């Protein structure tokens, strides 16, 4: 029952239908022959509610811990950007809700602090959570590292993954360093720590760095499946 409630909430977030407004205008006139004419024009305007507004409406009233929203006793959702406070907020959430087993990655725009993001990923793995990207869910940039952290990883076929190269404070990107430089190894080591083989880690890292930090490569679940073991 609780899982059905969780799924219903997530579907309301990512699959909400656009709202519409209808306007009817009537014009009547008499022509030169004395015939009366009436013209009715119907205009329908479809308004797409921004994703951020849909999320805010869906999680209103739920317990919040930074970018995390507690859906029920076993499920939480990540619905915002990760920053330096997020690892502590994650710990606080689990302390208050020790039964949480699944982290739904509903809308993950990434992080403003790569170190905190990797620390959060290690906490997710330490607590053996399942990471799940529901239908319509979006995981972007550093959100991929959090998805990898799940001891079981699930993603709907239409889940969206947006990846690009990282950029450090000096403006340097992965290709500006040797392949075995610490700046690159920190991610490869993390991928291996999350259970990827050397070949999978190197392949996924190359894929994420195939476009610059200023761009975004959009992928579906089938595109990352060769590198990431997915459960059901």
């Amino acid at each position: 029952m609780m899982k059905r409630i969780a799924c219903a909430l997530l579907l309301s977030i990512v699959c909400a239908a656009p709202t519409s407004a209808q306007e009817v205008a009537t014009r009547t006139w008499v022509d030169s022959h004395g015939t009366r004419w009436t013209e009715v024009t119907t205009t329908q305007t479809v308004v797409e509610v921004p994703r951020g507004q849909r999320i805010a409406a869906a999680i209103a009233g739920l317990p919040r811990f930074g970018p995390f929203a507690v859906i029920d006793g076993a499920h939480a959702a990540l619905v915002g950007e990760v920053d330096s406070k997020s690892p502590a907020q994650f710990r606080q959430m689990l302390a208050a809700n020790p039964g949480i087993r699944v982290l739904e990655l509903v809308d993950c725009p990434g992080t403003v602090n790569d170190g905190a993001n990797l620390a959060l990923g290690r906490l997710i793995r330490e607590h053996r959570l399942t990471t799940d990207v529901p239908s319509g869910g979006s995981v972007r940039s550093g959100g991929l590292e959090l998805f990898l952290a799940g001891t079981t990883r699930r993603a709907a076929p239409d889940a969206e993954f947006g990846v690009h190269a990282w950029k450090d404070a000096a403006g340097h990107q992965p290709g500006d360093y040797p392949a075995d430089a610490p700046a690159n190894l920190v991610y490869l080591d993390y991928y291996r720590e999350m259970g990827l083989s050397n070949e999978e880690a190197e392949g996924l890292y190359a894929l994420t760095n195939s476009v610059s930090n200023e761009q975004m490569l959009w992928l579906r679940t089938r595109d990352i499946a060769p590198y990431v073991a997915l459960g059901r």
Side-chain angles (χ1 to χ4, degrees):
M1 177 63 178
M2 298 303 288
K3 178 59 176 175
R4 288 200 297 272
I5 294 173
C7 289
L9 170 66
L10 294 171
L11 287 173
S12 73
I13 292 174
V14 297
C15 299
T19 59
S20 63
Q22 182 171 289
E23 181 179 341
V24 179
T26 302
R27 183 169 70 96
T28 302
W29 73 96
V30 178
D31 65 18
S32 59
H33 301 289
T35 303
R36 184 181 182 87
W37 297 86
T38 299
E39 178 185 74
V40 178
T41 303
T42 302
T43 303
Q44 185 158 357
T45 303
V46 177
V47 180
E48 178 70 35
V49 179
R51 185 184 183 89
Q53 291 183 22
R54 299 203 308 270
I55 291 172
I59 65 175
L62 293 179
R64 292 294 304 275
F65 297 82
F68 305 100
V70 178
I71 299 172
D72 59 39
H75 300 81
L78 179 57
V79 292
E81 191 172 63
V82 170
D83 61 22
S84 61
K85 300 177 183 177
S86 299
Q89 291 164 336
F90 180 80
R91 290 191 187 94
Q92 292 165 2
M93 178 182 70
L94 290 188
N97 303 272
I100 288 176
R101 295 292 179 266
V102 179
L103 183 61
E104 305 280 3
L105 305 182
V106 178
D107 188 63
C108 306
T111 181
V112 294
N113 187 314
D114 282 353
N117 195 60
L118 296 182
L120 175 58
R122 290 185 169 99
L123 284 173
I124 293 170
R125 175 55 64 107
E126 177 186 336
H127 289 277
R128 302 189 62 78
L129 298 191
T130 291
T131 50
D132 184 17
V133 189
S135 179
S138 180
V139 174
R140 307 181 295 282
S141 191
L144 178 63
E145 277 74 53
L146 302 183
F147 176 67
L148 295 179
T151 51
T152 298
R153 312 176 190 102
R154 300 194 297 250
D158 68 340
E160 175 184 84
F161 294 87
V163 300
H164 59 184
W166 50 262
K167 182 164 66 174
D168 63 20
H172 297 139
Q173 300 191 36
D176 296 321
Y177 296 95
D180 59 353
N184 284 311
L185 291 180
V186 67
Y187 294 96
L188 288 167
D189 289 345
Y190 175 87
Y191 288 179
R192 297 184 187 104
E193 188 179 338
M194 296 303 124
L196 276 65
S197 68
N198 287 336
E199 183 178 354
E200 290 168 339
E202 291 171 2
L204 183 61
Y205 192 57
L207 179 64
T208 63
N209 294 328
S210 62
V211 297
S212 70
N213 180 262
E214 294 75 24
Q215 299 175 294
M216 188 74 80
L217 175 63
W218 295 104
L219 306 170
R220 294 295 185 186
T221 301
R222 64 178 178 273
D223 300 313
I224 67 167
Y227 312 100
V228 181
L230 300 175
R232 296 183 181 275

